[in-house]
Amino acid sequence: MALVEIRDLRVRFHSTGKEAVRGVDMTIEPGQRLGLVGESGSGKTVTAMALSGLLQRGSAALSGQVLFQGRDVLTCPREELRAIQGPGIGVVFQEPMTSLNPLIRVGCQVEEVLRLHTDLTADQRRERALEAMVQVGLPEPEVTYEKYPHQLSGGQRQRAVIASAMVIHPKLLICDEPTTALDVTVQIQILRLLKSISVRYGVAILLISHDLSVVRRLCESVAVMYRGRIVERGNTEDVFASPQDDYTRRLIAAIPTRKRHE
Amino acid sequence: MKLRHNKNFTAGAVITAFMLAVILVGMVWTPYDPNAMNGAAKMAGPSLSHPLGTDNFGRDIFSRVVEGAGATALIAGATVAIGLAAGLVIGGLTGYYGGWLDEIVMRLNDAVAAFPSILLALVLIALFGQGKYNIIIALGVLFVPSFARIVRTEVARQKSLDYVRSARLMGAGDMRVLFRHILPNIVPVLLPSVAIGFNNAVLAEASMSYLGVGVQPPDASLGRMLNEAQGYLLSAPWYALSTGAAIILLVLGFGLLSEGMGGGYGAG
């Protein structure tokens, strides 16, 4: 069974009356790394938010089906949704400055999801949090555990966010532009980290990005979104080698290459 | 925020600490009984035995200023506490949930805020009757809208931040998100408003008592005493001056604190 199956998803925001997503079909298999690319406003983030359940607050009209492990996220009662998604889906947002609560120690935030969804004791939670912090490559986890977010660098913060998403071993990690706010060397480290986590634990990754080179580095398959629709999808290398859709061609042409400067 | 290197904050802290110390000591000990009359020493000027002189009944003004400042500060504090508590709940819920609830409650809020507060307080006093506790309730109700609006705006801003979204995604319930994640993060914005609110409450209490609808004789309150003192402005100026000075110190201390915390009108 596919981990995620989206069928004819449509999202229309009440505030603007605009249809942001216009009939998206998409599947994610367990352990698959899928890149969702497109320009700002193409509907890629809205699609991911519908999947993560962050959209259902009367702000938008949704239709279609969004199945996560066979359960329809759009019609599922909230309590049930919470029980499925809390442990099942982790999210890494774009801006590591705001992804962590500035007033709570990093370690407590990494543990948060365990506190909500498991019966582990405080010591066991701490143990798991430290473990996750080691896995994401945070230095001196014992010390970092006690720190506040402002005491970490941008890259470390993003690692802490990944640790908090990973600590419960979810089935799917949604990464919304996870490296956009980071400098280039840190970007590559974070992408390597995400890949190794995905391979080691069999976690599926949905990477949302406007940056094709980031997608190419991490994902084996890619879907290209344009104006609320998926215009092209396939194996990443195939799409790069022979893009079928005109928009995809233009996107690929927009990647800066070294040759042009030489 | 480097509070220690901020002159406003330091000055405000010193003045406020001084006033609070005087008020706290005054609760257990004053040189004279604030209400004890002394026919032999009416309208005495400042002297060693009565540092701020005595009033028309021969009561020690220093003792009365201390007690009055205590009563005023207590009323102002309770007023702010009521306004803040209700404001947190109302602003928190409307800011967090938004939608029609937000629209309706905030329009009501605007309606209350549109009335001049002293006028509305007088109406409430007319309904409930005079006295210390009714003053607290009346002023407390009037202070709700300003706090509710500040809290609402901040909560609405915080709720779209990623850390809140990720807490919700992890499955934290609404109340947990609101109270554990959002409210602690709006404290920095709220503190200056609390200090300003306290100032407004001190002035409102003083005005109400001055007009005679607040604290009733023989109890002392700064506004009440100003009212009494105005009759003797020429014969016993120290009465009005010392009472006014106490009000100024109370308000100035908190005003500077608020300014130092980066708030205050205009600086916000």
Side-chain angles (χ1 to χ4, degrees), chain B residues 155-187:
Chain B
V155 168
R157 194 176 69 80
Q158 295 275 339
K159 93 174 168 181
S160 58
L161 291 184
D162 289 338
Y163 80 90
V164 174
R165 294 208 288 161
S166 92
R168 265 168 50 192
L169 211 113
M170 283 178 186
D174 286 345
M175 290 304 118
R176 184 175 172 87
V177 170
L178 193 53
F179 288 102
R180 176 165 163 83
H181 292 285
I182 296 183
L183 288 186
N185 273 298
I186 70 172
V187 168

Side-chain angles (χ1 to χ4, degrees), chain A residues 59-166:
Chain A
S59 63
L62 294 94
S63 69
Q65 274 187 314
V66 178
L67 304 177
F68 179 71
Q69 296 185 306
R71 302 295 301 273
D72 193 342
V73 172
L74 300 186
T75 56
C76 198
R78 269 189 74 199
E79 285 304 314
E80 230 172 293
L81 194 63
R82 204 179 279 170
I84 303 171
Q85 292 183 322
I89 301 179
V91 175
V92 178
F93 290 106
Q94 172 174 352
E95 190 45 77
M97 304 296 273
T98 59
S99 308
L100 295 169
N101 187 329
L103 295 179
I104 301 179
R105 290 178 198 279
V106 172
C108 290
Q109 299 197 55
V110 173
E111 296 179 359
E112 174 89 354
V113 70
L114 296 176
R115 195 173 297 129
L116 291 164
H117 294 285
T118 67
D119 298 325
L120 299 178
T121 63
D123 286 343
Q124 289 169 320
R125 286 201 301 263
R126 189 187 152 88
E127 199 61 32
R128 286 274 292 273
L130 290 174
E131 211 173 282
M133 288 162 79
V134 173
Q135 281 160 7
V136 299
L138 278 171
E140 304 179 280
E142 299 272 351
V143 181
T144 310
Y145 185 95
E146 301 293 337
K147 283 187 176 171
Y148 286 96
H150 73 269
Q151 295 169 300
L152 304 184
S153 70
Q156 287 174 343
R157 242 175 266 176
Q158 199 63 308
R159 285 173 195 273
V161 173
I162 295 172
S164 72
M166 276 305 303

Side-chain angles (χ1 to χ4, degrees), chain B residues 193-218:
Chain B
S193 327
V194 168
I196 294 270
F198 181 85
N199 275 354
N200 290 339
V202 165
L203 293 176
E205 187 283 324
S207 316
M208 306 272 290
S209 296
Y210 174 77
L211 292 172
V213 292
V215 172
Q216 295 303 307

Side-chain angles (χ1 to χ4, degrees), chain B residues 55-191:
Chain B
D55 69 0
N56 49 322
F57 295 113
R59 296 177 294 195
D60 178 50
I61 292 180
F62 179 73
S63 303
R64 286 182 70 73
V65 166
V66 169
E67 168 146 311
T72 299
L74 203 69
I75 291 173
T79 298
V80 170
I82 292 176
L84 184 62
L88 274 177
V89 172
I90 295 173
L93 294 179
T94 53
Y96 188 72
Y97 288 108
W100 58 266
L101 173 89
D102 181 34
E103 287 298 326
I104 294 173
V105 175
M106 279 300 128
R107 291 301 81 76
L108 277 175
N109 207 47
D110 290 344
V112 175
F115 281 97
S117 52
I118 293 286
L119 186 71
L120 205 51
L122 288 176
V123 171
L124 290 175
I125 291 295
L127 286 176
F128 298 138
Q130 302 178 336
K132 195 165 154 185
Y133 297 104
N134 287 341
I135 274 271
I136 292 177
I137 294 170
L139 289 178
V141 169
L142 294 175
F143 274 66
V144 173
S146 64
F147 284 118
R149 180 155 292 283
I150 293 166
V151 172
R152 176 197 166 275
T153 310
E154 268 305 293
V155 168
R157 194 176 69 80
Q158 295 275 339
K159 93 174 168 181
S160 58
L161 291 184
D162 289 338
Y163 80 90
V164 174
R165 294 208 288 161
S166 92
R168 265 168 50 192
L169 211 113
M170 283 178 186
D174 286 345
M175 290 304 118
R176 184 175 172 87
V177 170
L178 193 53
F179 288 102
R180 176 165 163 83
H181 292 285
I182 296 183
L183 288 186
N185 273 298
I186 70 172
V187 168
V189 179
L190 217 47
L191 276 181

